[in-house]
Amino acid sequence: MATNIVFHPGSVDPAERTQLLGQKGVTIWFTGLSASGKSTVACALEQHLLHLHKFAYRLDGDNVRFGLNRDLGFDERSRNENIRRIGEVSKLFSDASCVTLTAFISPYRADRAVAREVHDKAGIPFVEVFIDAPLHVVEQRDPKGLYKKARAGEIKDFTGISAPYEAPENPEIHIKTAECDVTEAVRIITQYLSDKGYI
């Protein structure tokens, strides 16, 4: 734990930043099994928001592990730290008035609760989106061949097979991708954000 540090506030407060940029930051936290459609929906939503001239940016689970989180594995402790870091980074993006999209399996409720708490303490909206697809569906999709490897014992600690996934109990948005296409998913999320005054 760092000591002898003091938070240095900026010269622009959140209200002024929001007024100058014409939008307020919000974090949209996509969670779900691998191959459920998190990244696909997040990519489509990011593109849609940018076409609406909204400042939006996507943080993707695999992409972040190439840099910021390249020192982390997939054991439970590493997964905890992975989500802790992303919770903090997404808060910073949203504090800058960005519509921040995070697409991470984030399998543990406690870790997602910590990410939400970080945002709540900063007064930043946090929208949990459960991208829900049954295990048999994601195993059929398996675009990276990961489920096949996990079933063969070639991948340890694989969520849904040899590691748990704790589904959200009260997500703000629940999308069943086995019953809903990407266009409809984007429409549902955009409508929610509009109704809440986030965009």
Side-chain angles (χ1 to χ4, degrees):
M1 180 73 83
T3 57
N4 300 317
I5 58 173
V6 177
F7 185 81
H8 189 158
S11 302
V12 179
D13 65 28
E16 184 179 7
R17 187 186 304 277
T18 296
Q19 181 182 17
L20 290 170
L21 295 177
Q23 72 176 64
K24 182 176 181 179
V26 55
T27 292
I28 305 167
W29 191 281
F30 293 89
T31 178
L33 291 170
S34 179
S36 60
K38 299 179 303 298
S39 294
T40 301
V41 175
C43 283
L45 179 61
E46 179 186 34
Q47 182 181 45
H48 179 64
L49 291 172
L50 288 168
H51 280 248
L52 294 176
H53 303 288
K54 301 299 179 183
F55 171 35
Y57 191 79
R58 176 181 53 90
L59 297 168
D60 186 86
D62 280 359
N63 295 356
V64 169
R65 283 181 177 272
F66 281 103
L68 177 67
N69 291 348
R70 68 182 176 213
D71 59 323
L72 300 177
F74 288 93
D75 58 281
E76 184 173 349
R77 187 170 181 179
S78 292
R79 287 176 184 268
N80 298 154
E81 177 61 13
N82 182 48
I83 297 308
R84 186 196 71 79
R85 292 182 193 179
I86 296 309
E88 294 287 350
V89 170
S90 60
K91 182 198 78 170
L92 293 174
F93 271 72
S94 296
D95 186 50
S97 292
C98 183
V99 178
T100 311
L101 317 177
T102 71
F104 292 79
I105 293 172
S106 46
Y108 301 113
R109 290 190 193 106
D111 292 340
R112 298 193 301 266
V114 168
R116 183 185 291 274
E117 183 180 11
V118 164
H119 285 72
D120 287 347
K121 285 182 177 178
I124 297 169
F126 183 95
V127 178
E128 187 176 47
V129 181
F130 180 23
I131 300 296
D132 185 6
L135 184 60
H136 73 275
V137 170
V138 296
E139 285 200 74
Q140 286 173 354
R141 292 175 181 168
D142 203 13
K144 303 173 187 174
L146 299 178
Y147 284 100
K148 185 176 180 180
K149 289 181 179 179
R151 288 291 187 191
E154 296 173 26
I155 301 176
K156 296 192 305 180
D157 301 318
F158 191 79
T159 303
I161 304 298
S162 52
Y165 177 75
E166 299 171 357
E169 295 177 324
N170 294 294
E172 280 77 8
I173 302 173
H174 187 171
I175 292 176
K176 298 181 179 182
T177 56
E179 304 170 8
C180 168
D181 65 15
V182 174
T183 301
E184 178 63 7
V186 168
R187 186 199 66 77
I188 290 168
I189 299 168
T190 303
Q191 187 63 57
Y192 178 91
L193 296 174
S194 178
D195 290 345
K196 290 290 185 179
Y198 297 149
I199 61 170

